[in-house]
């Protein structure tokens, strides 16, 4: 177990460094923040002052080494736009991101397991057909479209929920619904597929022959065996929610690191981008570690690998 | 009776069985019909429609749908520049199908191949591939899109590259997870014991097990790829007019949801229908190729089966 | 019993009636309002109020400047300076308002004012550290500011600058604490009627009324600013009662009643042609571009109440605007355009060269459609445009000189505003040979503008207008298409009259609330 964890942490560190290196250079391929800072074109002296303030006057490789050296000590520099340390900006968005992604994942997985199992139990019959169609529709509705339409209906027409912001529990409903929609669709299909695989495999048919009822069979014996592909897909979706959910946070003005990252990319705020990516990377690595541990719990054979 | 004839009867049996299953499910027939229709429209539509689709007529702005007096092309209404929504959908079909097929195709093939290799060999191969997948997965796709489309040009090819690369890790992880599990099964161990080559085991034993899961995923990804392209357009880094795809039509129309609902709703319906059809076909294929399932698939319409007997 | 019940009932009715009356007419005490804006401010520092998203919140509410442009007539009026005069060719003196207090209790004086002027253009001056202020562009040539006495600010310019007092209307004055450091402040301190309470980045900014304000206290007590990028959401917040003021409303979300108010901020949609590249080398082709565009139909259909057709670069309140401009040679005439193009082609110009129409998605709401319509007009007269709609940074590589080697010939879409009323904030940058945003080079234009920059009042205006005439009728590299009209939505009971400066300063002290 200890060697396993050590191995995972090591590979996590490798990933993180890889991501940081890639992001550092990719970001700088998209132009310089100077253009945005001097909308009408600054004087030579102003531009030099700006470059020096953010270390942009150094050659690229030097900037990179300075960045690595400082980052190793936990210093990610100051945001170009926000007048605060880049890491502080990134950290302030993280709790809401984790909460939103966590709630949305719980909602999606629970819904998907229930719907997918029902569909598998009644495969090719009416409940399955209805669930399949609905889940497929859920997976193909444009997110921004759903977000706007739900605001128009629930906030503006009916006025049951707030349009946007993050003030009370009510303001969580539409964002959670919006980001859970597509995962529910995708996961329900995966659950259904995996469950059918298990249900039609030999040993379940044996169990059935021995007189186990269908639903009990599903939750007792099949779910565990169908869990691997479900966890894999759910894990990937969760990871994408950690750095995604951009449209949700843009439309609903809901805080989140996805919005911070997009803003930083558009504003060429490199320090904030780098700090955010490190945090998201850490979160994703932790998530993957959790997924591995869940794998081991669910399927002891994985422990061997 | 020679061996050849026996094989042939066997094959005809399989085919007829498949078709029987196909026609047994009206949903599958409808889905296939829609997909064939969309693909035909994508291939031939733009040539037939020509310049008419992008012809703006400002005075036709938001002409309402379901009215024939302005000509059949305006049956689904007109958009904010007075272009017929129907013909825009026809033009969009080609782009959207191209983007969806190329990027889902390339990312699923590359992703699941790498996933099988990764899961089968394990060890350092697995490690390296997984690290690369993790890195790609952690980099925000918008950054990648911005870099590619900033340095290169916002063209369909570059969009496919961006969308393809960002979706590879999903397939890689899924395929790898299943491979790791399948590898432990007896039939793989038997094949290994019998001295089958790695290549053979991966293609003949493991791939058939992995492919259905990947395909379920890939078919669902069709929609998300079309929509991801739309989100990029939304952020100002996607395709450029006069090239249109369905997602762009939804994105452009959504500003007018309250005044002209049809501009965003019809493209939305077309996206949902297409994604739905792709997935239904995927389910059908899945059922057909799994011998245990096709009995169940057929056992449902009991009456029909007894009739056919 | 009946009697007392009667009394009770009557008095209850009376009370209800009084309550009803008061809720209908009385002004609530210390109301709080929420303002929904489109973009979160980048900075609340007094030297960063140039971008509209910063100015919308900070200018006039937290910070004030020495001088102020009167929105009604564009004339300069006193604010923190009571008067000013030119004491030498290069020297100005500003008499400052006495008894003005900053939010932190410190007194406003000439030293603080001087420190603000110097920090705005600082560069490396403070602590040897670099400061880059967004307002620095407002003072293109360095000036020296010092305190002559407690309430007299002396400013020395490098060149004669007749509009220095106007420039100072853009220099917001922050507290002394901030002026001592190169670091931008996150806790702004100014002299305005509202003081800063808190900011949670990504979520909101809160202000409250400043009790020691030097002038009349405003009615609204607390203000919360929130950022909503989707125009439908901003409009929806008014409908749902979540916000009382929403800015940047699209035409399709506007209500027909008086809850939607409009204002013009001298913002013009322009296009700029690269005259050094085909197909635009021949002026006849440039004229044809203007003649190909049916501004009347285009603007009416696509912009509705948010725009009107326009032919010049500047808005009507700027001194470079030509009031009796004859636009007949530029107005819609597709046949004339085709003839001009044919003539240019006959003279050997490659009029069929493909060119880009470069725009950005957030140029103005619905701008992408606007540009597509322009592309079709140009196609109809035989030109070969291709649309390139890109994000801000990429767009700027097309705007700014020097243009990258091998950049494709293009027509750049620009939305330009000039709230100062003086063309020197526009022409030198946009239409002179050395202008950073210019693709025009005409020696006569350059001469006129240089002369105008040093001239005053009517003569200044006349010189600018002469330059504009050459630009619009001979060069034709930079032409207006539409004058923009901005929309705002107000909640029930909110009274606010927007003015030409509303785009950069929404004075909460101008807002009144009735119940």
């Amino acid at each position: 177990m200890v060697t396993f964890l050590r191995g995972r942490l090591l590979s996590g560190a490798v990933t993180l460094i890889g991501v940081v290196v890639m992001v550092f250079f990719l970001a700088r391929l998209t132009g310089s923040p100077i253009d945005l800072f001097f909308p009408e074109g600054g004087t030579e002296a102003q531009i030099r002052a700006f470059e020096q303030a953010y270390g942009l006057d150094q050659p690229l490789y030097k900037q990179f080494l300075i960045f690595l050296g400082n980052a190793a000590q936990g210093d990610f520099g100051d945001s170009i736009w926000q007048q605060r340390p880049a890491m502080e900006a990134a950290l302030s968005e993280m709790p809401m991101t984790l909460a939103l992604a966590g709630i949305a994942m719980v909602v999606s997985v629970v819904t998907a397991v229930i719907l997918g199992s029902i569909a598998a139990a009644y495969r090719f019959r009416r409940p399955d057909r209805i669930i399949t169609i609905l889940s497929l529709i859920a997976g193909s509705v444009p997110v921004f479209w759903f977000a706007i339409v739900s605001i128009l209906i629930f906030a503006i027409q009916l006025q049951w929920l707030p349009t946007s912001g993050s003030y009370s529990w009510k303001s969580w409903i539409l964002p959670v619904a919006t980001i859970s929609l597509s995962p529910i669709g995708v996961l329900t299909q995966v659950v259904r597929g995996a469950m059918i695989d298990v249900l039609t495999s030999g040993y379940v048919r044996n169990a059935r022959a021995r007189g186990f009822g269908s639903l009990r069979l599903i939750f007792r014996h099949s779910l565990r065996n169908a869990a691997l592909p479900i966890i894999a897909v759910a894990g990937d979706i969760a990871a994408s929610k950690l750095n995604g959910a951009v449209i949700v946070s843009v439309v609903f003005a809901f805080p989140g690191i996805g919005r911070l990252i997009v803003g930083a990319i558009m504003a060429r705020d490199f320090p904030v981008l780098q700090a955010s990516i490190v945090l998201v990377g850490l979160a994703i690595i932790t998530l993957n570690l959790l997924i591995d541990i869940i794998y081991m719990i669910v399927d002891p054979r994985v422990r061997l690998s | 009776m020679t061996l050849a004839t026996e094989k042939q009867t066997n094959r005809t049996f399989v085919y007829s069985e498949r078709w029987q299953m196909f026609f047994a499910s009206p949903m599958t027939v409808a889905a296939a019909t829609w997909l064939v229709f969309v693909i035909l429209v994508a291939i031939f539509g733009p040539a037939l429609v020509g310049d008419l689709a992008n012809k703006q007529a400002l005075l036709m702005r938001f002409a309402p749908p379901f009215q024939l007096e302005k000509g059949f092309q305006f049956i689904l209404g007109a958009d904010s520049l007075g272009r017929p929504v129907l013909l825009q959908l026809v033009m969009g079909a080609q782009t959207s199908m191209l983007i969806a097929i190329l990027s889902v195709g390339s990312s699923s093939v590359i992703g699941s191949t790498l996933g099988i290799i990764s899961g089968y060999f394990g060890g350092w191969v697995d490690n390296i591939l997984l690290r690369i997948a993790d890195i790609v997965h952690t980099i925000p796709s918008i950054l990648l899109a911005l870099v590619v489309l900033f340095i290169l040009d916002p063209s369909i090819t570059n969009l496919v590259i961006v969308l393809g690369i960002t979706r590879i890790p999903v397939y890689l992880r899924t395929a790898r997870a299943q491979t790791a599990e399948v590898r432990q099964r007896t039939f793989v161990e038997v094949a290994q014991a019998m001295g089958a080559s790695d290549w053979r085991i991966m293609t003949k034993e493991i791939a058939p097990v992995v492919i259905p899961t990947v395909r379920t995923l890939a078919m669902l990804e069709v929609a998300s790829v079309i929509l991801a392209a739309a989100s990029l357009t939304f952020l100002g880094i996607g395709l450029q007019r006069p090239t249109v795809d369905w997602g762009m039509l939804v994105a452009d129309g959504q500003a007018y949801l309250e005044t002209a609902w049809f501009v965003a709703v019809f493209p939305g319906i077309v996206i949902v229908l297409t994604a739905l059809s792709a997935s239904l076909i995927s389910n059908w294929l899945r059922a057909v190729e799994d011998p245990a399932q096709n009995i169940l698939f057929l056992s449902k319409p009991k009456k029909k089966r007894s009739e056919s007997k | 019993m009946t009697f007392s019940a009667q009394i009770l009932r009557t008095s209850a009715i009376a009370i209800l009636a009084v309550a009803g009356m008061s809720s209908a007419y009385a002004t609530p005490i210390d109301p709080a309002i929420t303002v929904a804006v489109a973009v979160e401010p980048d900075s609340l520092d007094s030297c960063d109020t140039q971008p509209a998203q910063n100015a919308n919140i900070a200018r006039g509410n937290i910070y004030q400047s020495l001088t102020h442009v009167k929105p009604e007539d564009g004339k300069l009026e006193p604010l923190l300076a009571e008067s000013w005069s030119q004491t030498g060719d290069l020297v100005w003196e500003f008499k400052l308002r006495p008894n003005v207090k900053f939010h932190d209790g410190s007194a406003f004086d000439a030293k603080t004012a001087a420190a603000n002027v110097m920090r705005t253009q600082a560069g490396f001056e403070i602590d040897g550290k670099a400061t880059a202020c967004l307002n620095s562009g407002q003072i293109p040539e360095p000036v020296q500011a010092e305190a002559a006495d407690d309430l007299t600010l002396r400013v020395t310019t490098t060149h004669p600058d007749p509009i220095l007092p106007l420039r100072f209307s853009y220099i917001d004055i922050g507290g002394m604490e901030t002026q001592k450091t190169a670091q931008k402040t996150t806790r702004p301190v100014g002299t305005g009627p509202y003081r800063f309470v808190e900011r949670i980045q990504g979520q909101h900014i809160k202000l409250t009324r400043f009790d020691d304000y030097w002038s009349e206290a405003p009615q609204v007590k607390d203000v919360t600013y929130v950022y909503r990028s989707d125009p439908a959401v901003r409009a929806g917040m008014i409908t749902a009662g979540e916000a009382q003021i929403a800015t940047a409303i699209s035409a399709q979300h506007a209500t027909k009643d008086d809850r939607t108010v409009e204002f013009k901020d001298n913002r013009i949609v322009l296009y700029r042609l690269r005259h050094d590249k085909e197909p635009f080398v021949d002026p006849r082709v440039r004229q044809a571009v203007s003649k190909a565009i049916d501004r009347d139909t285009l603007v009416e259909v696509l912009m509705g109440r948010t725009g009107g057709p326009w032919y010049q670069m500047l808005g009507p309140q700027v001194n470079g605007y030509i009031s009796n401009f004859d636009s007949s040679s530029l107005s819609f005439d597709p046949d004339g355009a085709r003839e001009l193009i044919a003539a240019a082609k006959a003279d050997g110009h490659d009029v069929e060269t493909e060119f880009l129409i470069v725009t950005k998605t957030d140029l103005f709401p619905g701008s992408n459609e606007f540009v597509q319509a322009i592309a079709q007009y140009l196609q109809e007269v035989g030109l070969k445009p291709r649309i390139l709609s890109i994000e801000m940074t990429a767009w700027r590589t097309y705007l700014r000189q020097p243009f990258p080697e091998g950049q494709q010939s293009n027509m750049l879409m620009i939305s330009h505003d000039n709230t100062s009323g003086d063309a020197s904030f526009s022409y030198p940058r946009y239409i002179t040979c050395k202008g950073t945003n210019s693709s025009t080079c005409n020696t006569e234009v350059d001469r006129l503008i240089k002369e105008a920059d040093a001239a005053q009042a009517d003569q200044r205006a006349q010189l600018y207008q002469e330059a504009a005439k050459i630009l619009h009728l001979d060069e034709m590299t930079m032409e207006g298409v539409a004058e923009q009209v901005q929309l705002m939505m107000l909640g029930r009971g909110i009274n606010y009259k927007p003015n030409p400066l509303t785009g950069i300063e929404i004075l909460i002290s101008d807002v009144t609330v009735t119940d």
Side-chain angles (χ1 to χ4, degrees):
Chain A
M1 189 67 192
V2 174
T3 35
F4 166 80
L5 277 180
R6 198 188 299 148
R8 282 301 138 106
L9 288 178
L10 191 73
S11 62
V14 172
T15 308
L16 200 58
I17 292 170
V19 168
V20 168
V21 173
M22 290 284 288
V23 166
F24 184 93
F25 289 103
L26 281 178
R28 278 159 181 78
L29 286 175
T30 62
S32 158
I34 293 174
D35 284 344
L36 293 171
F37 217 94
F38 296 105
E40 304 286 356
T43 65
E44 199 61 24
Q46 287 165 350
I47 288 172
R48 252 199 1 256
F50 177 84
E51 283 183 329
Q52 192 170 323
Y54 295 99
L56 298 167
D57 50 342
Q58 306 286 332
L60 197 55
Y61 78 95
K62 249 193 191 155
Q63 285 183 41
F64 182 64
L65 291 179
I66 293 170
F67 163 71
L68 276 190
N70 290 340
Q73 297 163 33
D75 176 10
F76 286 83
D78 287 338
S79 161
I80 292 176
W81 290 99
Q82 295 199 16
Q83 312 92 38
R84 56 176 173 170
M87 195 39 115
E88 190 186 312
L91 277 172
S92 70
E93 299 285 331
M94 215 47 194
M96 288 298 249
T97 301
L98 293 178
L100 190 63
I103 294 173
M105 279 324 285
V106 170
V107 169
S108 324
V109 171
V110 169
T111 317
V113 165
I114 294 171
L115 292 180
S117 303
I118 294 173
Y122 295 93
R123 55 197 169 277
F124 308 122
R125 280 180 275 160
R126 181 160 292 151
D128 177 26
R129 269 154 221 277
I130 294 170
I131 289 173
T132 302
I133 298 283
L134 287 182
S135 68
L136 293 177
I137 291 176
S140 13
V141 173
V143 176
F144 53 85
W145 194 84
F146 181 84
I148 296 281
V149 171
S150 60
I151 290 176
L152 288 181
I153 294 173
F154 294 104
I156 297 173
Q157 287 300 322
L158 300 172
Q159 302 203 0
W160 290 347
L161 300 169
T163 54
S164 48
S166 56
Y167 302 107
S168 69
W169 62 273
K170 276 185 173 174
S171 46
W172 287 72
I173 295 178
L174 290 181
V176 167
T178 307
I179 54 173
S180 306
L181 188 72
S182 152
I184 288 176
V186 176
L187 279 173
T188 303
Q189 284 302 295
V190 175
V191 171
R192 176 187 175 277
M195 293 293 276
I196 289 180
D197 271 350
V198 175
L199 288 175
T200 51
S201 69
Y203 67 96
V204 172
R205 264 181 286 164
N206 287 342
R208 194 191 286 272
R210 278 189 269 128
F212 282 100
S214 189
L215 270 180
R216 188 166 157 225
L217 189 79
I218 284 180
F219 286 108
R220 266 288 164 76
H221 299 270
S222 314
L223 198 54
R224 196 182 166 97
N225 287 294
L228 287 183
I230 300 173
I231 295 169
V233 176
D236 271 315
I237 294 175
S240 71
K241 293 300 162 216
L242 284 177
N243 77 24
V246 177
I247 284 171
V248 169
S249 59
V250 167
V251 175
F252 293 106
F254 206 87
I257 201 144
R259 190 178 57 169
L260 187 72
I261 289 175
V262 174
I265 291 170
M266 290 303 186
R268 310 300 192 266
D269 195 342
F270 302 141
V272 168
L273 177 62
Q274 283 146 200
S276 309
I277 293 297
V278 167
L279 278 193
V280 168
L282 278 175
I284 290 178
I285 288 160
T286 316
L287 179 79
N288 288 339
L289 196 66
L290 284 178
I291 291 170
D292 284 326
I293 292 169
I294 296 173
Y295 268 178
M296 291 200 309
I297 294 166
V298 171
D299 187 353
R301 283 171 299 176
V302 173
R303 209 169 292 174
L304 298 172
S305 59
Chain B
M1 251 214 188
T2 63
L3 199 71
T5 43
E6 198 187 299
K7 239 185 186 167
Q8 207 167 10
T9 41
N10 205 354
R11 267 175 78 170
T12 30
F13 167 74
V14 171
Y15 273 112
S16 64
E17 181 101 318
R18 281 187 182 187
W19 285 115
Q20 199 183 340
M21 284 174 62
F22 181 74
F23 288 112
S25 160
M27 290 294 292
T28 315
V29 176
T33 315
W34 173 256
L35 276 190
V36 168
F37 172 70
V38 167
I39 289 170
L40 285 178
V41 167
I43 297 171
F44 301 109
L48 291 175
V49 169
D51 290 341
L52 220 53
N54 282 320
K55 182 85 191 152
Q56 302 162 12
L58 291 184
L59 298 176
M60 292 289 286
R61 178 173 160 99
F62 297 138
F66 311 125
Q67 286 178 7
L68 277 172
E69 65 258 34
K70 283 159 187 145
F72 181 72
Q73 72 266 36
F74 289 105
I75 188 81
L76 297 183
D79 71 5
S80 56
L81 288 170
R83 290 171 295 209
V85 172
L86 177 70
L87 302 191
Q88 289 274 299
L89 283 172
V90 169
M91 299 298 284
Q94 187 167 61
T95 324
S96 283
M97 285 294 104
L98 215 59
I99 291 172
I101 290 171
L102 290 181
S103 45
V104 169
S106 57
S107 58
S108 64
V109 169
I110 296 171
S112 46
T113 308
L114 293 177
I116 290 174
I117 292 172
S118 184
Y120 182 79
F121 288 108
W124 62 269
V125 176
D126 188 29
N127 255 324
I128 291 177
L129 286 175
L130 274 186
R131 289 302 76 73
I132 293 174
D134 284 350
I135 291 172
V136 172
H137 202 184
T138 314
I139 294 173
S141 47
I142 291 170
L143 177 61
L144 204 64
L146 198 59
V147 173
V148 171
L149 304 175
F150 187 89
I151 300 169
L152 306 170
D153 219 20
S155 68
I156 294 181
T157 324
N158 293 329
L159 199 60
V160 166
I161 292 174
V162 170
L163 295 172
I165 290 177
T166 51
R167 301 313 293 172
I168 285 177
V170 181
Y171 297 99
L172 195 152
R173 272 183 159 276
T174 310
R176 178 191 169 272
Q178 269 220 320
T179 306
E181 193 250 346
V182 168
R183 198 170 63 134
Q184 321 277 338
R185 287 201 197 159
T186 14
F187 65 92
V188 175
E189 278 164 11
V190 169
Q192 273 171 333
M194 284 169 66
S197 69
D198 290 338
W199 171 250
R200 201 187 153 77
I201 294 173
M202 282 192 284
T203 53
K204 296 277 154 136
E205 308 290 343
I206 294 175
V209 183
V210 173
I211 285 171
T213 314
V214 169
R215 197 166 43 209
T216 313
L217 197 60
M219 287 299 182
L220 283 167
E221 286 275 309
V222 167
S224 46
V225 163
I226 292 174
L227 298 173
S231 308
L232 291 180
T233 314
F234 210 53
L235 294 164
I237 44 181
L239 292 174
Q240 300 286 338
R241 293 274 187 173
T243 309
V244 287
D245 67 355
W246 290 339
M248 188 194 254
L249 294 178
V250 178
D252 283 2
Q254 70 93 24
Y256 301 105
L257 268 176
E258 292 145 296
T259 36
W261 57 272
F262 46 90
V263 181
V265 167
F266 288 127
I269 291 175
V270 168
I271 291 176
V272 171
L273 278 183
T274 307
L276 195 62
S277 304
S279 312
L280 284 170
I281 295 293
S282 137
N283 283 359
W284 168 70
L285 275 172
R286 192 181 158 78
V288 165
E289 280 170 11
D290 185 338
Q293 275 194 45
N294 64 27
I295 297 162
L296 288 163
F297 199 92
L298 272 182
S299 70
K300 179 246 144 192
K302 271 177 190 140
K303 277 179 199 162
K304 270 185 188 157
R305 203 181 174 207
S306 52
E307 272 165 22
S308 68
K309 267 185 179 174
Chain C
M1 190 175 154
T2 336
F3 179 69
S4 56
Q6 184 78 31
I7 290 181
L8 270 176
R9 226 167 76 207
T10 330
S11 50
I13 290 169
I15 290 167
L16 277 177
V18 169
M21 293 268 291
S22 69
S23 71
Y25 296 109
T27 47
I29 299 162
D30 294 348
I33 62 168
T34 298
V35 182
V37 297
V39 185
E40 174 169 10
D42 309 310
S43 164
L44 290 179
D45 196 288
S46 57
C47 80
D48 280 342
T49 51
Q50 204 272 335
Q53 66 263 30
N54 299 351
N56 270 335
I57 293 171
R59 300 199 77 199
N61 295 317
I62 302 175
Y63 297 122
Q64 294 179 312
S65 42
L66 296 181
T67 61
H68 186 245
V69 175
K70 225 193 282 177
E72 297 81 39
D73 56 8
K75 294 256 160 51
L76 215 53
E77 62 179 355
L79 194 58
L80 290 180
E82 287 186 317
S83 65
W84 49 89
S85 61
Q86 194 162 12
T87 54
D89 254 5
L90 301 175
V91 185
W92 289 79
E93 278 190 2
F94 293 80
K95 292 278 177 219
L96 305 184
R97 189 178 294 278
N99 306 321
V100 173
K101 278 209 162 28
F102 281 105
H103 301 153
D104 62 0
S106 60
F108 164 71
D109 58 15
K111 261 196 192 125
T112 323
N116 271 279
V117 174
M118 295 315 289
R119 180 166 175 266
T120 297
Q121 36 172 1
F124 294 99
E125 298 303 319
I126 301 171
D127 298 352
K129 284 203 195 108
T131 312
C133 284
L134 294 170
N135 288 357
S136 58
Q138 310 291 358
I139 310 178
E141 306 287 343
V143 301
Q144 275 298 326
E146 65 203 324
D149 61 52
D150 247 18
L151 290 173
T152 309
L153 175 74
R154 185 178 296 136
V155 181
T156 314
T157 60
T158 23
H159 304 290
D161 186 1
I163 60 155
L164 185 81
L166 175 62
R167 294 191 196 284
F168 275 19
S169 74
Y170 291 102
I171 307 303
D172 284 303
I173 306 295
M176 197 63 191
E177 281 304 310
T178 310
Q179 308 312 315
K180 291 177 190 154
T181 133
Q183 195 87 33
K184 301 287 178 67
T185 185
T186 52
R187 300 199 58 82
V189 168
T191 58
Y194 289 90
R195 66 180 167 81
F196 174 81
V197 178
E198 70 161 356
R199 169 177 194 188
I200 297 181
Q201 253 147 342
Q203 295 199 43
H204 62 247
I205 288 172
K206 291 190 173 184
L207 309 181
T208 191
R209 202 165 52 199
F210 175 46
D211 293 332
D212 284 340
Y213 181 49
W214 58 269
S215 184
E216 203 181 322
Q219 186 199 359
V220 174
K221 180 159 190 277
D222 297 301
V223 197
T224 305
Y225 293 92
V226 296
Y227 334 112
R228 300 291 185 266
S229 58
D230 196 294
V233 172
R234 287 196 297 277
M237 287 182 80
I238 297 293
T239 314
E242 291 173 31
Q244 283 67 49
I245 297 178
T247 65
I249 298 296
S250 311
Q252 68 265 26
H253 299 121
T255 52
K256 294 210 171 66
D257 58 12
D258 56 3
R259 278 196 303 152
T260 303
V261 292
E262 54 185 51
F263 65 94
K264 292 178 182 178
D265 56 353
N266 290 295
R267 184 174 277 280
I268 308 294
V269 182
L270 307 163
Y271 66 78
R272 191 197 73 187
L273 304 174
R274 276 287 292 273
H275 74 288
D276 56 330
K277 293 213 169 188
E278 289 291 9
F280 305 124
V281 173
D282 189 308
R284 283 171 295 188
V285 178
R286 307 203 288 268
Q287 188 183 357
V289 168
S290 182
K291 278 177 155 322
I293 301 169
D294 181 359
R295 291 171 174 78
D296 293 340
T297 312
L298 173 75
V299 175
E300 193 196 314
V301 173
L302 293 184
M303 296 179 80
R305 63 190 284 196
T306 62
W310 204 250
Y311 287 90
Q312 298 185 47
M313 181 182 161
L314 298 177
Q317 287 193 320
V318 188
N319 59 3
Y321 167 79
I322 311 156
S323 50
N324 53 355
F325 184 64
D326 176 15
S327 61
S328 55
S329 65
L330 299 170
S331 54
F332 184 50
D333 173 14
D335 292 329
R338 283 186 207 101
E339 278 166 28
L340 286 165
I341 290 171
K345 190 180 179 180
D347 287 348
H349 284 285
D350 190 359
V351 297
E352 270 146 41
T353 313
E354 187 195 71
F355 62 93
L356 299 173
I357 304 184
V358 181
T359 183
K360 54 190 174 110
T361 35
D362 57 350
L363 196 70
F364 61 91
S367 62
N368 271 353
E369 290 152 11
F370 191 85
V371 172
Q372 287 167 42
I374 289 180
Q376 170 153 322
Y377 283 126
L378 298 184
Q379 268 162 5
E380 276 166 6
V381 298
L383 295 170
K384 297 263 181 305
R386 181 159 69 86
I387 296 169
L388 185 63
S389 172
I390 43 188
E391 52 93 49
M392 179 77 166
T393 306
W395 177 83
R396 297 181 57 83
T397 61
Y398 288 89
L399 173 71
R400 294 276 301 279
Q401 291 266 26
F403 303 119
E405 197 68 31
Q407 188 173 68
Q408 191 173 353
S409 175
N410 61 72
M411 169 179 187
L412 183 74
M413 301 305 298
I414 300 169
S415 167
H416 176 72
D417 73 323
N418 184 327
T419 47
S420 69
D422 193 273
S424 68
F425 290 86
S426 304
Y427 285 157
R429 271 182 209 122
Y430 279 91
I431 61 171
T432 61
C433 294
K434 290 215 167 118
T436 47
N437 303 340
S438 169
S439 85
T440 306
C441 191
N442 179 306
T443 43
E444 185 60 14
V445 168
D446 275 21
R447 190 188 62 79
L448 286 166
I449 288 176
K450 199 168 177 212
E451 226 171 279
D453 285 343
Q456 304 205 32
D458 286 350
Q459 199 204 351
R460 188 178 174 94
Q462 205 183 341
L463 287 164
Y464 280 134
Q465 287 171 29
E466 270 172 45
K469 264 189 200 130
I470 301 173
L471 171 75
H472 293 308
L473 298 176
D474 299 343
E475 284 293 323
M476 295 171 287
T477 43
M478 179 82 111
E479 301 289 354
V481 184
E483 180 190 26
Q484 288 177 250
V485 178
Q486 313 289 336
L487 301 182
M488 270 174 107
M489 263 172 97
L490 305 175
R492 207 168 293 115
I494 299 290
N495 310 301
Y496 174 72
K497 265 206 168 51
N499 59 56
L501 286 183
T502 299
I504 52 163
E505 50 172 42
I506 305 169
L507 300 182
I508 300 300
S509 48
D510 287 350
V511 176
T512 56
V513 184
T514 48
D515 233 347

